[in-house]
Amino acid sequence: MLIRDIVDKNVIKIEGNGNCWLWEGNVGNHGYGRIMVGGYPVLVHRFVYELHNGIIPGDKGVLHKCGNRLCANPEHLYLGTAQDNARDWIESRAGHILSVSTLQKHNQSMCEVELEAIKNALVANDSSRTKAAQQLGISSTTLWRKMKKYGI
């Protein structure tokens, strides 16, 4: 079976919802789809980008217009720099970033906010640490460490 066929077999094309093509195969700790190519792990979105657009320059990354790490729709993928990726990340979470003044107004510390976010993510994902970590944008290992820190 060709690698391209493996990708096609593990992608579900969803109409509506931004027309994302959701990867349902192996997912790495950071929430991106992974496949093995020549014995090496490769990120699915990078593989799909190269299938449709050619080689990725060494100074560029493949970014998602939709912000969905599991999306493999080539129309949602574009090249960008690490700075572009950081800007997109900040903009996508602008409504979730709390300033010091907001914390003071609600009389909460950053630890209290982090703890609340972790608990909410676990509840929203039926206690699945993997899914909660993906929702929070952190690795499962990082989530486990934070849970241990807070005694969850």
Side-chain angles (χ1 to χ4, degrees):
M1 180 179 282
L2 296 174
I3 296 170
R4 184 180 196 143
D5 295 333
I6 293 169
V7 170
D8 288 341
K9 181 181 173 186
N10 286 289
V11 167
I12 294 182
K13 298 176 182 177
I14 299 179
E15 292 189 27
N17 193 28
N19 295 321
C20 287
W21 296 5
L22 297 182
W23 175 254
E24 289 204 320
N26 186 356
V27 176
N29 287 341
H30 296 288
Y32 293 96
R34 287 191 320 188
I35 55 174
M36 296 300 283
V37 178
Y40 296 97
V42 175
L43 296 174
V44 171
H45 67 288
R46 291 179 62 85
F47 181 80
V48 168
Y49 182 89
E50 286 191 339
L51 276 177
H52 291 268
N53 301 295
I55 301 296
I56 301 165
D59 62 337
K60 300 288 184 182
V62 178
L63 312 179
H64 291 88
K65 293 176 187 175
C66 59
N68 185 343
R69 294 177 182 187
L70 293 177
C71 182
N73 184 341
E75 292 179 12
H76 292 191
L77 304 175
Y78 68 101
L79 291 179
T81 63
Q83 185 177 5
D84 295 330
N85 198 24
R87 183 199 64 239
D88 289 351
W89 185 87
I90 290 168
E91 288 175 1
S92 72
R93 287 155 178 79
H96 304 290
I97 296 174
L98 298 173
S99 66
V100 172
S101 62
T102 303
L103 292 172
Q104 288 172 343
K105 187 168 85 176
H106 295 287
N107 200 25
Q108 289 182 298
S109 69
M110 286 299 287
C111 289
E112 289 170 326
V113 171
E114 184 176 59
L115 175 60
E116 186 177 334
I118 291 169
K119 286 180 178 179
N120 289 341
L122 288 166
V123 168
N125 291 288
D126 297 322
S127 297
S128 167
R129 288 189 297 215
T130 302
K131 290 179 182 176
Q134 288 173 355
Q135 179 182 333
L136 293 166
I138 59 177
S139 71
S140 297
T141 303
T142 300
L143 177 59
W144 177 81
R145 286 183 182 136
K146 290 180 182 293
M147 289 173 67
K148 188 174 177 183
K149 171 185 171 182
Y150 295 119
I152 301 174

